[in-house]
Amino acid sequence: MIRYKKKRSRRSFFITVALLVLLIFFSDRNPSSVQLPSQVLNVLISPVNGAFYGLSHALQDAYDSIFGSKATQERVAQLTQENAALVQKLKLMEQVITQQDYLKNEYDLLQVASDRLIPATVTAKDPSDTFVRFTIDGGSMAGMQVGDVVVQGVKNSQGSAVEGLVGRITEVGLDYAKVTSIMDESSNISIMCSQSGDYGVIDGRDRESFHGYTMDANATAAVGDDIVTSGLGGVYPRGLYIGKLVDVHLSDDELTRRFSMEAPVDFTKLYRVLVLHMEAKDE
């Protein structure tokens, strides 16, 4: 058995040697014949290479269509950033457009009273649907003090830019001040009707209106009259504009006249205010 395997091994060896000799002989006689095996190999491998090449391109195209190429992704990221910046600018422009009347009123007021008014921006507020208590920038470094009055540029019924009452400063830091607005239910506000001179008190408020009563049942204050601070009590100086009467009627006990008034200040959307220094006002 072993002898038989040795014979087969020798036979295979001689056959291989003979084939190599023939290959050398034919390649020497005809050099182009040596290319035949590689051509056969290329014919066999070419479809496989084509399939893998097509598959790789298909996968790359699928990836690019979903995620984009690296250059495309970088461009998309750049455009996304630019779009976010444009959206922010649009929001600022919309704020300017919606507040253009307020900004014009503030500008007009500063033209005649810039020496006693300190512009400030609201930086925070207590959780509430209205600005009852809020914080502004500035503080003592800007010259603000506890007791200073906070106003906003508004128009009265005659169309003049006036100081619309917002509230007063109750706490001051170096670069901030805390404000309690007239929306605070805990304090009544002494008022006066500009046209009739009647005195009264604001003792209630909601999101859109202030409510109160006159000190005299025979008061002649009427719908459309302007209401200002009376100066009584020393909390607010005399003459700060609060709003316009929209309803006046005799109270149930017939001892006073009840009234409702609308304020020109929007206490749901405060952004910029003006601080009126009390000493400057008194001067």
Side-chain angles (χ1 to χ4, degrees), residues 106-242:
E106 178 182 295
Y107 174 81
D108 292 342
L109 187 59
L110 287 172
Q111 297 309 298
V112 297
S114 60
D115 57 331
R116 63 185 185 186
L117 295 171
I118 306 171
T121 301
V122 176
T123 58
K125 67 183 286 287
D126 287 356
S128 171
D129 57 350
T130 57
F131 284 73
V132 179
R133 295 177 181 83
F134 57 92
T135 304
I136 58 176
D137 59 6
S140 59
M141 291 192 300
M144 301 176 188
Q145 298 179 4
V146 172
D148 284 351
V149 175
V150 178
V151 299
Q152 191 177 72
V154 299
K155 291 285 179 64
N156 60 14
S157 59
Q158 286 77 42
S160 301
V162 295
E163 299 157 344
L165 181 60
V166 174
R168 62 191 296 266
I169 292 177
T170 55
E171 179 183 333
V172 174
L174 285 175
D175 58 354
Y176 74 91
K178 293 189 176 182
V179 179
T180 297
S181 78
I182 58 175
M183 294 295 292
D184 182 20
E185 294 277 359
S186 64
S187 59
N188 294 336
I189 303 171
S190 178
I191 58 94
M192 181 184 71
C193 177
S194 294
Q195 283 79 2
S196 67
D198 295 314
Y199 286 88
V201 175
I202 293 176
D203 61 358
R205 62 276 281 163
D206 53 42
R207 286 172 56 94
E208 300 177 353
S209 304
F210 289 91
H211 312 282
Y213 58 90
T214 62
M215 307 299 293
D216 186 356
N218 297 318
T220 58
V223 171
D225 289 351
D226 287 336
I227 299 298
V228 298
T229 52
S230 68
L232 299 178
V235 178
Y236 296 108
R238 184 186 180 95
L240 297 177
Y241 187 62
I242 304 177

